[in-house]
Amino acid sequence: MVKDANSGKRRRTGLWIVALFLVIVAGGAIYLSTLLPIITGYAAKNLGSAVFVQERNADEVDSTDLNFSFIKFTKSKVNTSDSTVVSRFLWGRSKAIFRDELGVTLLRKTSEKELMNNVYPDIPEPCYDRDTLAWPMGNIIPDTATGIDHAALSEITKKLVTDNGYGGNTFAFIVLHKGIPVAEAYKPQFSMDTRFLSWSMAKSVINGLAGVMVKEEGFDINRPADVEEWKNDERKNITVNDLMRMQSGLEWNEDYGSRSDVNVMLFCRKDMAAYVRDRKQEFPAGKHWEYSSGSSNLVSWLMRKHLGNDSAYYTFPHTRFFHRIGITDAVFEADPSGTYIGSSYLYATARDYARFALLYQNDGFFNGEQIFPEGWVNYTREPVSSGNGEYGSLFWLYGSGEVPSAPKDIFMCQGHDGQRIFIMPSQELIVVVLGYSPRGTLDFDALVKDIVATI
């Protein structure tokens, strides 16, 4: 009887162990299922944009930009006949499609037919040819001495781009001194015509678009945001300025390595702004700084709503902003609902990013025209009240700590995987670095320090 009792106890223990194991396996499979749209969506979207917008080789992108974490295990098929990419991993599948002027869109709760049947206005061509115009509106670079040590700068350029001596993997590099390009270099597979992915530098472009809308369209950033879902709760106090300064107080998780808010928004949602509008209030508006890609997408949607006309909205970045500062072939991608993805997906050339920076270095003045309202750049550089001097309005500041050797008046655009624009007004210096350099792999402080020393 004792033996039978012990045997029964062991059987029950064994059953509990098996049951626990099955629960763990089932739980793991369920959680993995929630990650698969992010894994396959990241691969399909970014490979599609690299091939169809940047005109890069798919194998090169797979071995560089997509060679990490679970993303490297995806299997992707590029179809040039219908401009689509399908990416698969385990039982997960995602599809992205290219549409000329709006770039590549990840299909989420939208059929391919529905997306392709949406009618968007053609982006008007600029009324000038950059190849016939002098810098900065055009591509004819003046041969003007600026007082910079060109020999030393050439060594820095070679060290960065050719030798990877500062770490990372730089695709493109350009330096302006006193408004003039004094260094420019590209990895062999890239050129001055290649459009490079902004990642979060697009947030700073949203700042620029907002500046133009404030000046020309009566867009009031200090009034409560026009969000119907917020009218009857404490979110009604959130202003556009709060969103641009990342002080909305909305709950948000910007962790890129998990099923976080930023990943769900970018890779699982049809309407990214709607996802942000549904976030709960965690802190009072204007009192707590927390980096949020969702904030800039909501600002993009609010500008769309303010214009009240999608034709005007889609052409606005180009005809009312880019073309006025010499940027003629940028691609700003939209989500399936049609809103520009202001957090992440602008594609422009290295020279175009330099032109954008030059506008800010010149206090919003470009080619004889005042683009921004008076004081807009000062507003942009004013530190948020709760951010320890690290952030302004959709721009990073010296207090972020990335470049402690830089002049303290530096302000900058930062993007995922090492996209950077450094603006140093006191030195009349602009530095643009683009490529694939995951966090911590490129020593930006040493680079900026060496460049400043050439003046």
Side-chain angles (χ1 to χ4, degrees), residues 138-366:
N139 286 321
I140 300 175
I141 308 299
D143 184 15
T144 303
T146 67
I148 203 162
D149 186 337
H150 287 275
L153 195 54
S154 293
E155 287 300 314
I156 293 169
T157 302
K158 179 178 181 296
K159 180 180 177 180
L160 174 69
V161 179
T162 304
D163 302 335
N164 295 336
Y166 291 95
N169 184 6
T170 298
F171 298 163
F173 173 62
I174 186 166
V175 177
L176 305 189
H177 185 226
K178 297 185 177 180
I180 297 172
V182 291
E184 184 175 11
Y186 302 89
K187 280 280 198 300
Q189 65 269 39
F190 304 102
S191 74
M192 62 175 280
D193 296 318
T194 303
R195 298 184 186 104
F196 294 95
L197 171 58
S198 66
W199 280 119
S200 285
M201 296 197 305
K203 296 177 175 68
S204 301
V205 175
I206 290 294
N207 170 284
L209 291 172
V212 176
M213 289 195 67
V214 167
K215 184 173 186 288
E216 301 180 0
E217 295 291 337
F219 189 55
D220 189 346
I221 65 171
N222 293 310
R223 294 186 63 181
D226 185 14
V227 178
E228 189 62 35
E229 293 90 339
W230 296 356
K231 300 295 186 183
N232 298 315
D233 59 47
E234 57 187 327
R235 295 175 297 178
K236 66 179 180 291
N237 298 315
I238 299 171
T239 66
V240 176
N241 179 53
D242 290 328
L243 292 166
M244 293 177 67
R245 290 187 173 281
M246 308 287 185
Q247 293 190 126
S248 70
L250 296 174
E251 61 179 11
W252 190 261
N253 181 349
E254 189 76 13
D255 179 13
Y256 298 103
S258 66
R259 185 177 166 79
S260 62
D261 288 319
V262 65
N263 283 332
V264 170
M265 176 185 70
L266 289 177
F267 305 112
C268 302
R269 291 293 185 267
K270 172 183 179 179
D271 187 337
M272 298 184 189
Y275 180 77
V276 185
R277 296 196 302 269
D278 289 342
R279 298 303 91 198
K280 296 179 181 178
Q281 191 83 8
E282 189 175 14
F283 301 97
K287 301 298 183 182
H288 176 81
W289 182 84
E290 184 171 16
Y291 188 78
S292 164
S293 287
S295 293
S296 51
N297 284 331
L298 188 52
V299 173
S300 179
W301 175 82
L302 286 166
M303 289 192 288
R304 181 183 184 183
K305 185 176 183 181
H306 180 80
L307 287 172
N309 180 305
D310 275 355
S311 291
Y313 174 73
Y314 293 123
T315 58
F316 189 93
H318 301 273
T319 61
R320 305 284 292 279
F321 188 38
F322 294 155
H323 291 179
R324 296 164 71 185
I325 60 173
I327 299 174
T328 62
D329 59 355
V331 173
F332 213 155
E333 293 181 328
D335 69 14
S337 77
T339 300
Y340 284 126
I341 305 172
S343 65
S344 313
Y345 293 141
L346 174 72
Y347 288 81
T349 69
R351 289 187 177 188
D352 287 343
Y353 288 121
R355 289 180 171 100
F356 173 77
L358 187 58
L359 172 67
Y360 281 82
Q361 182 172 281
N362 290 341
D363 203 22
F365 191 79
F366 202 98

Side-chain angles (χ1 to χ4, degrees), residues 55 70 219 250 317 376:
E55 299 181 353
F70 289 109
F219 189 55
L250 296 174
W376 184 260

Side-chain angles (χ1 to χ4, degrees), residues 176-178 361 406-407 409 424-430 452-453 455:
L176 305 189
H177 185 226
K178 297 185 177 180
Q361 182 172 281
D409 67 343
M424 292 164 269
S426 62
Q427 306 296 316
E428 297 183 272
L429 193 63
I430 289 167
V452 170
I455 298 175

